[in-house]
Amino acid sequence: MAAISFNCSVRSDTASFSSSLSPLSRQLLRRPLLSHGRFSDISISSHAVFPSLRRRISCQSSSAAPSVSSAVNGKAKENMKDFLHISDFDKTTILKILDRAVEVKALLKSGERTFLPFKGKTMAMIFTKPSMRTRVSFETGFFSLGGHAIYLGPDDIQMGKREETRDVARVLSGYNDIIMARVFAHQVVYVGDGNNIVHSWLLMASVIPFHFVCACPKGFEPDQKTVDKARSAGISKIEITNDPREAVRGADVVYSDVWASMGQKEEAAYRRQAFQGFQVDEALMEIAGPKAYFMHCLPAERGVEVTDGVIEARNSIVFPQAENRMHAQNAIMLHVLGL
């Protein structure tokens, strides 16, 4: 899927929950896969054998946990959870995951280090597409909760070239409790020129009600099927416009992304021309209002899609957003493993 740039505004209190969660494709392994992240490009898959367990976080070491019988393990295997698309989950589940992320974050910030739910567990991280934030946030988050993450770069696997994807899936599932994949494309997901972040917001709007406005140049609109899916849910107001000033007026959050994503650098000059007038600058944020936050999933090209002044402004939450993705990912993995 080709990613484009855009400006979007969100008018809803739920916008503060955002931490770069994105939909993932089922294509990577037809085994249980859990997905997260900038997320049209990221997948995670669970090979969990643990019973689903709802509880508040307790500060007990994992060694104090009761043993799980093989019978329970066998039953759990039949009910393994995946996180592939945000729209696969209902509102209650998504909000519970976000609440759990807040709890885990508070626990880690407090200095507590005895909550180790991932102790004895391993995660294979498949990267066909490099990403500093994705690797560091997953590896650090999994380690902080007791687990061990293994990085597998493009030359380590060459998935679909040196070895069939389904064979890689079976082998890695036998070794690891979770598989996360950061890939270039997802078939069965989106068709047409759209932006993965826009699509993630649209899919979220099909589950959690809020007012979402996407501003982009003509010809760069998000995939119509994804827009229709969000609108057909009937719970959110969805607007697609070519006027960024009208889009941000009265917004709670203004969100932007790079104008040429990885794999589109040869189009950079063309896109810079096409997106003239869509830069998020101080004047645009002034139209949004003094209470509007600015978000960006990073990396940002300062001076292109957003000015340096906007990123460094008091109402920019770009860097807390970057940190929060780690806590959201931890919560997703806890959910998928039933912990």
Side-chain angles (χ1 to χ4, degrees), residues 19-158:
S19 47
S20 297
L21 290 176
S22 337
L24 312 202
S25 155
R26 295 184 188 278
Q27 190 204 355
L28 178 76
L29 319 176
R30 304 212 176 195
R31 299 259 319 165
L33 258 178
L34 134 82
S35 295
H36 106 105
R38 184 184 172 119
F39 294 119
S40 228
D41 321 0
I42 305 174
S43 326
I44 311 168
S45 76
S46 154
H47 188 232
V49 290
F50 307 99
S52 178
L53 198 57
R54 288 297 309 165
R55 70 179 190 289
R56 301 288 290 181
I57 290 178
S58 66
C59 299
Q60 298 176 344
S61 68
S62 58
S63 60
S67 61
V68 183
S69 71
S70 58
V72 172
N73 280 345
K75 183 177 180 181
K77 282 185 178 181
E78 298 174 3
N79 298 302
M80 288 187 289
K81 301 174 187 175
D82 310 325
F83 196 99
L84 302 172
H85 306 276
I86 195 73
S87 56
D88 288 343
F89 293 85
D90 59 22
K91 176 182 176 181
T92 299
T93 301
I94 291 173
L95 293 181
K96 282 183 178 179
I97 290 173
L98 291 171
D99 286 342
R100 193 77 188 279
V102 173
E103 293 173 1
V104 174
K105 177 180 179 179
L107 198 64
L108 291 175
K109 291 290 187 181
S110 74
E112 171 57 51
R113 291 296 181 267
T114 61
F115 179 63
L116 303 172
F118 299 147
K119 186 174 182 179
K121 296 172 179 55
T122 60
M123 172 172 60
M125 303 192 303
I126 300 172
F127 282 77
T128 62
K129 180 179 184 180
S131 173
M132 181 268 285
R133 267 159 293 277
T134 301
R135 177 179 178 179
V136 175
S137 60
F138 264 104
E139 197 165 330
T140 302
F142 202 65
F143 174 79
S144 296
L145 298 184
H148 176 66
I150 303 166
Y151 174 80
L152 299 169
D155 295 333
D156 297 316
I157 294 185
Q158 295 183 11

Side-chain angles (χ1 to χ4, degrees), residues 23 50 63 216 219 262 280 298 323:
F50 307 99
S63 60
C216 56
M262 193 178 302
V280 180
L298 300 179
E323 178 191 345

